[in-house]
Amino acid sequence: MNMKTKTGWIMLMLLVAVMYASAQPLQDNFYVKVLHEELQRNIKRLKLPDLERPFFIAYNLSNHYNLELNAERGIITSTVSEPVNRKVFAVKLRVGDYHRNFDYMINDVYSVLLPHEEDADEYRRLIWLETDKAYKNNARQYTAFMSSLKRVNVDPKELALDDLSIITPLTQDFGAATPIVIDTDKWKERLKRLSTLFNEHADITTSYCRLSMNSAEEYLVTSEGTTIRKPKGHVTFTAYGALMQEDGSSISHTYSLIVKDIHELPSFDSLETAVKQLISTLRNKQKAKPFEGSYIGPVLLEGDAVHGIIQSCFTSNLQVKRKPIIGYGMPDVDYEEKLGQKLVASALTVTAIPSLKVFEGKKTTGAYEVDNEGVRPPDSLVLIQHGVLRSLLNGRTPTHKFPVSQGFSASVFGSNTYSPGVLRLTSDSIAPADSMKSRLLQLAKEEGLPYAYIIKGLRRYGNDTEIYRVNVTTGEEEMINECEVLPLNIRSLRRFIVASDKTMLRNYADLSIIAPQSMIINEVEIEKSRNATKPKPFIVSNPLLEPSPSKAVKKKIKK
């Protein structure tokens, strides 16, 4: 049996297995039965004489499939051509009761990798060991916290809050993992051809083109009666290039596209154009002049820079953060106290839309029907309306203004984190997309500035800042480097001016952002890079930039 036939059979067997698992009732599912049986055994029998009994146990099992194909300079470097399956089990256990269990103060993770073979006894043994560990550690921590409470004075209002909100148990099967079906040979050839584009640029020392497919089904079984299965998955194409300059400084650039389904990836010609553009951007960065002086004024953000500031400003900030009753780990900013206050420009509205599965014909990777704690979210939730903070993302940790879960938990039994799923920013102040540059130059002229700046990428995800200086008189653009954009935060968006009338969807692994293609913000600060040290350059020159001795010998032999 050749490799192509073997791979085809594996794909077919995987498809049949998933179809069978999808057809059977949830209570008959192998993983659900194992999790439920072991959970019931432990919730009834876990008890040490000097420690409290557990009142809550939640078991999570992630059945994850991944296929990654990687090519460098025309050669396939990935060693696996078939989906790799990993099963990870995690347990969350709490002692005490719903009122006092310190859940929001305990960032514990008890997890173990399960064997590929579905052996019920081996699964139960591993689950039992992790549960035992979780109980002993959590019970001791609970006892220590209760002892500490006796030695301090705590605000009665904070003490009155429950530590974990009660929910209505949910039993529902939202679907199995989507089978990873791919023409491996076809994609290997594509990746080889795309990665070969770097071969003409020997000074680009590190480069690759990569396709990664992820599909998973996540199980949640709790002592409260919740039993759910839900699917997750996305496909990522990534191209990366990096080089080192003569002074030792490095330049890198990444092109990354995440979609829900492999059929949504662009054509080969479009991917080829994207890789060529990546190489061109690297060359432009290499030739860019260093930034001098400093700048405070209007800036035009485009593409990834827009989504970058939205992600950094809103996804982690607009979340409920409970004040610990034992006075440590206080939140940096308590946004709950800012409800009803103006946070950003009056033109801006920010909405969480976890139910939005498709936007303008493209699937979102962030949409979900139930959160990681088994709570259904609303179809949408307005977080900021015309600049004013209206609500926050939360889960099962009660606070004064958010006593019950709204269904935005993204935690997997570690620290309490929340996700909007799909986040949309809209603006009442818009302008035609092709007029945004002229609006920027007009603002700069009004402030008497000789230059304005366009930012197309911020420093993150393997990318350097991509920034262009624009001559106010001629409109000519010139890339610059060795500069830093002072951190942009929520307060920066109080100086928002206008957004493009065209919007775009940007997918991440478990998050989707819908936003204008570009926007102008005033009073952005740009400074010369403060990095005073650089790596030492290569000691021996790049062998691909020198004549090859072996090739020279071959030429002589031919003569």
Side-chain angles (χ1 to χ4, degrees):
M1 184 182 294
N2 60 36
M3 182 58 68
K4 187 172 183 179
T5 304
K6 181 181 177 183
T7 301
W9 273 106
I10 291 173
M11 298 295 187
L12 178 61
M13 288 187 288
L14 177 61
L15 178 63
V16 171
V18 171
M19 291 176 62
Y20 173 75
S22 301
Q24 66 180 167
L26 190 59
Q27 63 268 24
D28 294 333
N29 179 280
F30 169 78
Y31 303 113
V32 170
K33 290 173 69 175
V34 170
L35 294 174
H36 183 266
E37 289 171 5
E38 194 58 25
L39 188 148
Q40 292 302 317
R41 199 172 70 92
N42 280 277
I43 195 70
K44 294 175 183 177
R45 296 167 60 178
L46 270 176
K47 178 69 174 76
L48 286 174
D50 56 338
L51 297 175
E52 292 283 335
R53 182 187 296 276
F55 83 98
F56 174 83
I57 298 178
Y59 284 164
N60 174 276
L61 191 150
S62 177
N63 187 17
H64 181 259
Y65 297 89
N66 170 259
L67 174 62
E68 188 168 286
L69 302 176
N70 194 79
E72 298 179 22
R73 301 181 64 81
I75 300 172
I76 295 296
T77 57
S78 48
T79 58
V80 178
S81 299
E82 301 152 8
V84 175
N85 180 222
R86 293 177 74 251
K87 300 179 179 70
V88 180
F89 164 81
V91 55
K92 174 177 179 177
L93 181 149
R94 295 291 179 257
V95 300
D97 53 35
Y98 284 99
H99 176 63
R100 187 65 67 234
N101 53 73
F102 305 101
D103 175 63
Y104 67 100
M105 294 173 57
I106 301 174
N107 298 327
D108 55 353
V109 179
Y110 300 96
S111 62
V112 64
L113 189 65
L114 299 176
H116 178 70
E117 184 178 347
E118 295 179 351
D119 185 312
D121 288 342
E122 181 60 11
Y123 278 28
R124 291 180 62 186
R125 183 184 72 84
L126 293 170
I127 291 170
W128 161 67
L129 287 172
E130 287 302 307
T131 307
D132 184 80
K133 188 193 306 179
Y135 169 64
K136 291 172 180 174
N137 291 341
N138 191 270
R140 292 190 184 101
Q141 200 164 11
Y142 170 84
T143 301
F145 280 154
M146 290 298 289
S147 179
S148 297
L149 268 182
K150 297 176 182 178
R151 299 193 295 269
V152 295
N153 290 322
V154 182
D155 185 342
K157 292 181 180 179
E158 298 299 325
L159 277 177
L161 286 171
D162 290 341
D163 287 350
L164 190 68
S165 64
I166 297 175
I167 64 171
T168 301
L170 174 67
T171 298
Q172 187 164 345
D173 189 354
F174 293 94
T178 302
I180 293 180
V181 179
I182 178 178
D183 187 333
T184 306
D185 292 339
K186 174 183 174 182
W187 270 99
K188 281 185 176 180
E189 186 59 32
R190 283 185 175 183
L191 294 172
K192 286 167 65 175
R193 289 173 61 190
L194 292 170
S195 66
T196 303
L197 296 173
F198 291 98
N199 289 8
E200 298 177 12
H201 308 272
D203 58 331
I204 299 179
T205 53
T206 304
S207 64
Y208 61 78
C209 291
R210 178 179 299 158
L211 178 73
S212 178
M213 300 183 67
N214 293 275
S215 181
E217 54 189 16
E218 296 188 345
Y219 295 85
L220 176 66
V221 177
T222 76
S223 56
E224 297 170 314
T226 290
T227 303
I228 62 173
R229 175 176 67 169
K230 61 177 182 176
K232 293 177 67 175
H234 61 275
V235 177
T236 306
F237 173 82
T238 306
Y240 174 81
L243 58 84
M244 179 176 284
Q245 302 194 94
E246 292 181 359
D247 63 356
S249 60
S250 61
I251 297 174
S252 63
H253 196 69
T254 303
Y255 168 80
S256 180
L257 180 64
I258 300 178
V259 295
K260 188 69 176 176
D261 187 275
I262 191 169
H263 302 297
E264 294 182 285
L265 284 175
S267 65
F268 174 82
D269 289 343
S270 297
L271 293 176
E272 184 179 48
T273 300
V275 175
K276 288 179 178 178
Q277 181 59 48
L278 183 154
I279 294 171
S280 176
T281 301
L282 277 175
R283 290 295 176 219
N284 290 337
K285 288 183 177 181
Q286 195 176 23
K287 295 182 291 186
K289 294 180 180 179
F291 178 82
E292 297 293 343
S294 64
Y295 176 83
I296 301 178
V299 161
L300 173 61
L301 298 166
E302 294 184 347
D304 284 349
V306 174
H307 291 90
I309 187 174
I310 292 173
Q311 185 180 21
S312 62
C313 287
F314 298 124
T315 57
S316 60
N317 287 319
L318 301 186
Q319 302 184 2
V320 165
K321 296 179 181 178
R322 173 84 169 266
K323 300 175 183 177
I325 57 177
I326 307 179
Y328 64 88
M330 300 294 288
D332 297 331
V333 180
D334 186 359
Y335 280 98
E336 192 165 336
E337 295 299 322
K338 297 181 182 296
L339 287 167
Q341 296 181 18
K342 182 179 177 181
L343 285 189
V344 299
S346 300
L348 298 178
T349 294
V350 179
T351 309
I353 321 175
S355 63
L356 187 64
K357 295 182 178 181
V358 179
F359 176 75
E360 294 184 350
K362 297 180 180 179
K363 296 178 182 178
T364 62
T365 56
Y368 63 91
E369 297 179 90
V370 63
D371 76 356
N372 286 1
E373 293 177 324
V375 180
R376 289 181 181 274
D379 288 342
S380 65
L381 177 68
V382 176
L383 300 171
I384 294 176
Q385 186 176 40
H386 303 308
V388 178
L389 182 63
R390 295 301 184 191
S391 192
L392 295 170
L393 306 175
N394 80 318
R396 294 186 64 179
T397 298
T399 61
H400 294 291
K401 297 180 181 178
F402 297 92
V404 298
S405 172
Q406 297 179 103
F408 290 99
S409 173
S411 305
V412 184
F413 308 147
S415 59
N416 290 323
T417 58
Y418 311 106
S419 172
V422 180
L423 190 71
R424 181 166 191 178
L425 180 141
T426 57
S427 170
D428 294 335
S429 174
I430 59 174
D434 57 7
S435 73
M436 292 295 285
K437 182 177 176 180
S438 61
R439 289 291 300 271
L440 171 71
L441 298 181
Q442 179 186 351
L443 288 167
K445 282 181 181 178
E446 291 173 357
E447 296 190 24
L449 297 169
Y451 298 100
Y453 289 85
I454 298 175
I455 301 175
K456 297 186 178 181
L458 298 170
R459 188 184 300 277
R460 64 194 204 125
Y461 300 144
N463 278 337
D464 301 314
T465 302
E466 185 180 349
I467 184 166
Y468 297 80
R469 180 167 58 200
V470 188
N471 187 300
V472 170
T473 303
T474 65
E476 183 180 351
E477 297 180 21
E478 178 185 32
M479 182 182 281
I480 60 170
N481 63 15
E482 297 186 23
C483 62
E484 295 178 358
V485 180
L486 268 60
L488 298 170
N489 51 36
I490 287 182
R491 287 192 297 276
S492 304
L493 291 174
R494 295 177 72 93
R495 304 187 296 273
F496 166 84
I497 302 296
V498 66
S500 162
D501 60 353
K502 293 184 178 180
T503 58
M504 64 181 294
L505 167 69
R506 177 79 156 105
N507 279 323
Y508 300 89
D510 296 306
L511 172 70
S512 300
I513 294 177
I514 301 168
Q517 289 182 357
S518 60
M519 64 168 61
I520 296 175
I521 301 174
N522 209 346
E523 297 181 28
V524 175
E525 297 184 58
I526 302 173
E527 292 184 351
K528 185 175 178 61
S529 176
R530 301 174 186 177
N531 188 4
T533 60
K534 297 177 181 178
K536 290 282 188 181
F538 294 117
I539 298 172
V540 179
S541 60
N542 187 334
L544 301 183
L545 295 174
E546 293 185 356
S548 171
S550 59
K551 289 183 179 179
V553 171
K554 288 181 180 179
K555 286 183 179 180
K556 287 183 178 181
I557 293 174
K558 286 183 179 180
K559 288 181 179 180

